[in-house]
Amino acid sequence: FLVEQAPDAILVYDYDLDRFIDANRSAELLFGCPKEELIRCGPQHFYTSKQPDAKNVTETVADHNRQAFSGENVFFERRIRDTQGKERICEVRLLRLPSTDAKLLRASFIDITDRKRAEENLLFSNALLASQIESAPDGVLVVETESSRASFNHKFAQMWNIPPEVARAKDSEELLEAVLGQLKDPERFRADVQSFRPNPGVLIDREIELSNGWVYEYHCGGMQSAPGTYLGRISFFRDVTEKKRAELSLREERNFTAALLGSLPGIFILIDTEGRYVRWNDNLRSLTGLSDEQLLGFDSLSLVDDADRDAVRAKLQ
């Protein structure tokens, strides 16, 4: 009554004898031993001490047997170890067999080791990615293509002052409206978002300004599972407000210095410790006929007459 050629490992368990009494070829291959050896053992002989449900093996065997003999179809996962010591993860299915002489169960073992490892690797990868995104210094937003569900890290919610109810909903349209309400040019940002629908591979790399004067660097692109297959888009936002203010302040300072130098009478030259030109006013260009490119790094002694060069060098030193 066993399907000898079935791909699943199938065994018959006798409850009163507490051992297997029959097994097919797939069971021999799974457990790594001939049928003669298999039918001398009970299921606990092959179970490892550490199980997916973290429960006592003896107790769970008794519970599963009881459920199966009551007429239930019982499904559970078990870690087994074959006779060579190799561990596998199996899905076990128990079914009571009709019998007037004994209490028999049909046990099917399906090897799901590769599937479980793939699932564990995927879970680990997802957890690692989530951890990296959450710890990123930038605000990170991910919008899935199919469901339009949005995921983001704490930094993003903080940068955009996302209301708690919008954060909980994770709806990309609600999130978009919350962002648009804070932008100086909301329509351009809306156009960026809309450009992804016909062309999910488009890349965006620019600065956006908020109504309150803050400036964010905005980088956005598609997430591919395979070439041409897009799962969604991912956006990074970095606050560069202080950087922009510092650049503006430096630019204003340079303009002021240039204006100051230009207003000085005569020739003004700033040299470094090697005696080379760093800054100068227009009068030096008029005197030498050299351009700014030619003057930068120019040796200050090269314009001095040979007879006076040693004296000037000593003065400079």
Side-chain angles (χ1 to χ4, degrees):
F1 52 90
L2 286 178
V3 182
E4 187 60 31
Q5 301 303 320
D8 300 341
I10 302 176
L11 304 99
V12 175
Y13 171 73
D14 188 312
Y15 178 78
D16 295 321
L17 299 177
D18 190 27
R19 64 178 177 82
F20 299 122
I21 62 172
D22 203 355
N24 68 352
R25 176 60 180 162
S26 294
E28 293 180 310
L29 295 174
L30 177 65
F31 292 99
C33 59
K35 184 196 308 188
E36 291 73 21
E37 185 176 338
L38 271 175
I39 61 178
R40 293 198 298 265
C41 305
Q44 294 186 63
H45 177 78
F46 297 100
Y47 290 169
T48 65
S49 57
K50 184 180 178 182
Q51 291 297 327
D53 57 9
K55 294 181 179 179
N56 180 275
V57 173
T58 302
E59 293 178 1
T60 54
V61 167
D63 288 341
H64 293 151
N65 288 343
R66 186 164 47 251
Q67 292 173 31
F69 281 122
S70 70
E72 296 182 37
N73 289 330
V74 184
F75 303 88
F76 53 93
E77 289 182 8
R78 276 290 168 264
R79 290 182 180 272
I80 67 167
R81 182 182 290 109
D82 64 20
T83 54
Q84 283 74 46
K86 184 176 181 179
E87 288 194 14
R88 296 179 179 276
I89 303 174
C90 292
E91 182 182 84
V92 185
R93 303 182 179 190
L94 295 181
L95 179 66
R96 183 183 66 185
L97 291 175
S99 173
T100 57
D101 302 324
K103 297 172 69 175
L104 304 179
L105 292 176
R106 178 182 185 271
S108 300
F109 289 78
I110 303 172
D111 189 350
I112 59 172
T113 307
D114 292 340
R115 190 189 83 193
K116 294 298 290 186
R117 285 175 179 167
E119 290 174 355
E120 290 170 0
N121 289 338
L122 180 61
L123 287 173
F124 177 78
S125 298
N126 288 343
L128 180 61
L129 178 60
S131 175
Q132 290 174 330
I133 289 177
E134 187 57 42
S135 61
D138 302 326
V140 183
L141 169 67
V142 177
V143 179
E144 299 174 25
T145 300
E146 294 299 327
S147 64
S148 294
R149 182 177 59 181
S151 302
F152 46 87
N153 62 357
H154 178 73
K155 183 67 175 180
F156 175 87
Q158 185 182 54
M159 291 174 68
W160 291 100
N161 296 310
I162 302 300
E165 62 275 12
V166 175
R168 286 192 297 268
K170 295 186 180 299
D171 181 85
S172 62
E173 291 302 321
E174 291 185 19
L175 204 62
L176 175 61
E177 293 305 317
V179 168
L180 291 175
Q182 303 177 59
L183 291 172
K184 189 173 182 180
D185 186 0
E187 292 310 312
R188 185 179 181 189
F189 190 86
R190 189 190 297 276
D192 287 342
V193 173
Q194 292 174 343
S195 67
F196 276 101
R197 289 164 184 163
N199 184 13
V202 68
L203 296 176
I204 296 174
D205 188 0
R206 64 181 182 84
E207 291 180 354
I208 54 177
E209 187 174 353
L210 279 66
S211 301
N212 59 11
W214 292 351
V215 180
Y216 293 164
E217 283 183 349
Y218 170 41
H219 309 278
C220 186
M223 299 185 302
Q224 297 185 72
S225 59
T229 302
Y230 290 89
L231 300 177
R233 64 181 184 271
I234 184 167
S235 303
F236 297 88
F237 299 87
R238 177 170 295 181
D239 188 347
V240 293
T241 307
E242 292 303 320
K243 173 187 171 184
K244 299 299 291 185
R245 288 173 180 170
E247 290 175 352
L248 177 60
S249 177
L250 180 61
R251 191 159 54 247
E252 290 175 345
E253 182 179 344
R254 286 176 175 171
N255 291 340
F256 176 79
T257 303
L260 179 63
L261 292 179
S263 66
L264 293 175
I267 296 173
F268 177 89
I269 308 169
L270 179 66
I271 63 173
D272 61 17
T273 55
E274 301 297 324
R276 298 187 179 278
Y277 292 174
V278 177
R279 300 288 294 274
W280 50 88
N281 62 357
D282 292 343
N283 293 337
L284 179 64
R285 287 197 300 271
S286 300
L287 172 71
T288 62
L290 299 175
S291 67
D292 288 336
E293 289 76 14
Q294 292 171 312
L295 287 171
L296 183 62
F298 197 82
D299 184 355
S300 58
L301 293 176
S302 61
L303 294 179
V304 179
D305 188 84
D306 291 345
D308 297 329
R309 191 165 295 172
D310 289 340
V312 173
R313 180 182 292 108
K315 291 290 185 180
L316 288 175
Q317 292 172 349

